Amino acid sequence: MSLDGKPTAASSSPDSRLAAILVGCGLALSVLIALGQPHGFLQADDVTHFLYAKWAWTWPSYLLDDWGRPGFTALYFLPAKLGLTACRIMSAALMAVAVWAAYRIAVLMGFRYAWAVVPVAYAQPMLFKLSQTTLTETPAAFYLTWAVYLAMQNRWALSCMVLSPMFITRHEAVIFIPIWIIAAWHSRNGKRFLPLLFWAPIAINVGAFFADMPMPIARLLAPTSTSEYGRGGWLTFFCRSMEAYGPAISALAMTGVVHLVRSLRGGLPIVCVIVYFSPQTILRALGLYAPGGYARFLVPIGPKVAIC
């Protein structure tokens, strides 16, 4: 695996052009659907997150509100001024950029047909749908995929800065903190940039404190069970993966993860897939933190799953 950003055979101009064309097609299709169906595809919390970003213009404290997820609200604050369709176009753009980063990761890993990551990503039913919604999983996929790509290039300052907002976008993303600490610690120069990993949570919690609002960290320190969503079983997210990625892609990804782990070629991208999938399973099975158990919770690792 190339971790120093050096070009491989898969990064040739024809390959990059093909990948760019495919990403452009995915982006165009997402935008066309957003424009052609103003009310579009809605899931639970979809409009709620949009309204937090929209009304933050009137009540700036919404930028700090944990329910709205500050990592989402900050990104959608400007397009929300233009309306829901503009926010959906923003989602399409963020997902396209995330898929492009996944392609670049595949290039760094030396895959011969790295461009194939793009259609495999857009073929995932839930990833494609969430490129047209205003849900937190879309910016989470953007933050995580780019953080992985930058880390693989040994650009740890940017990697830590990009990953940090994910912690205030999806609570379960805190599982990546020890992963980044370990990976950066064993890199050439990553350890000195680790404090940047915490800039976003610190900023939001300090801001919430001075605004006399609930601090997001309080929720993480209260892992109580709830009857609001109930709980699932230990195979719940195995089944949800079929819904999120499609049966074929899900089966191929599982096979690919095993192969990459055995061949020691997986590195950080595969670690992220495994590490993120595991707590989703555990939290749903134990009912901690009121997990809804939705298939869309798996979208943040969708671009990495396409690599498998």
Side-chain angles (χ1 to χ4, degrees):
M1 182 194 308
S2 174
L3 297 180
D4 55 6
K6 292 181 180 179
T8 65
S11 62
S12 62
S13 294
D15 188 88
S16 295
R17 283 196 294 268
L18 177 57
I21 291 170
L22 291 171
V23 170
C25 289
L27 171 61
L29 185 57
S30 297
V31 170
L32 285 174
I33 293 175
L35 294 175
Q37 296 181 319
H39 299 291
F41 171 82
L42 297 176
Q43 281 212 351
D45 304 334
D46 194 346
V47 176
T48 303
H49 289 298
F50 160 69
L51 290 176
Y52 267 92
K54 176 183 178 180
W55 287 106
W57 286 92
T58 304
W59 294 291
S61 61
Y62 275 16
L63 289 166
L64 303 172
D65 194 286
D66 184 50
W67 209 103
R69 303 299 189 267
F72 172 95
T73 309
L75 276 182
Y76 287 78
F77 179 63
L78 290 176
K81 186 72 171 178
L82 302 176
L84 182 59
T85 299
C87 286
R88 286 184 167 146
I89 293 174
M90 178 70 170
S91 291
L94 288 175
M95 193 63 80
V97 174
V99 171
W100 175 258
Y103 156 71
R104 296 302 306 172
I105 290 171
V107 169
L108 291 180
M109 295 176 71
F111 289 176
R112 178 176 298 178
Y113 303 108
W115 59 266
V117 166
V118 178
V120 171
Y122 275 110
Q124 298 173 22
M126 203 57 65
L127 184 149
F128 183 64
K129 285 182 177 179
L130 264 63
S131 70
Q132 305 147 34
T133 65
T134 51
L135 288 163
T136 57
E137 290 80 5
T138 303
F142 164 79
Y143 290 134
L144 179 60
T145 311
W146 272 94
V148 170
Y149 174 59
L150 291 167
M152 292 180 66
Q153 289 191 311
N154 208 40
R155 299 164 69 182
W156 285 100
L158 285 175
S159 179
C160 291
M161 291 181 67
V162 169
L163 184 65
S164 188
M166 188 184 181
F167 305 146
I168 54 173
T169 304
R170 299 291 309 172
H171 293 141
E172 63 271 29
V174 296
I175 193 67
F176 293 119
I177 292 177
I179 303 304
W180 251 252
I181 290 175
I182 293 171
W185 201 266
H186 288 86
S187 68
R188 291 199 303 269
N189 61 351
K191 64 181 73 175
R192 62 194 177 102
F193 297 115
L194 284 174
L196 296 174
L197 198 59
F198 304 98
W199 75 265
I202 290 174
I204 291 302
N205 279 280
V206 170
F209 175 79
F210 284 105
D212 196 25
M213 297 174 64
M215 297 172 66
I217 195 172
R219 183 166 183 173
L220 288 176
L221 299 177
T224 55
S225 60
T226 175
S227 59
E228 182 177 358
Y229 294 105
R231 60 178 63 184
W234 292 100
L235 294 178
T236 294
F237 271 94
F238 170 79
C239 299
R240 291 287 185 265
S241 70
M242 303 293 174
E243 180 183 350
Y245 310 131
I249 292 176
S250 185
L252 288 172
M254 293 176 193
T255 304
V257 167
V258 172
H259 171 73
L260 289 170
V261 170
R262 285 182 174 177
S263 62
L264 300 178
R265 292 186 62 209
L268 188 58
I270 305 307
V271 170
C272 288
V273 170
I274 297 172
V275 166
Y276 188 81
F277 190 90
S278 301
Q280 294 289 358
T281 297
I282 294 170
L283 294 178
R284 183 57 181 163
L286 300 180
L288 301 177
Y289 296 108
Y294 302 125
R296 61 181 169 87
F297 290 176
L298 296 175
V299 169
I301 56 173
K304 274 73 65 186
V305 166
I307 298 171
C308 299

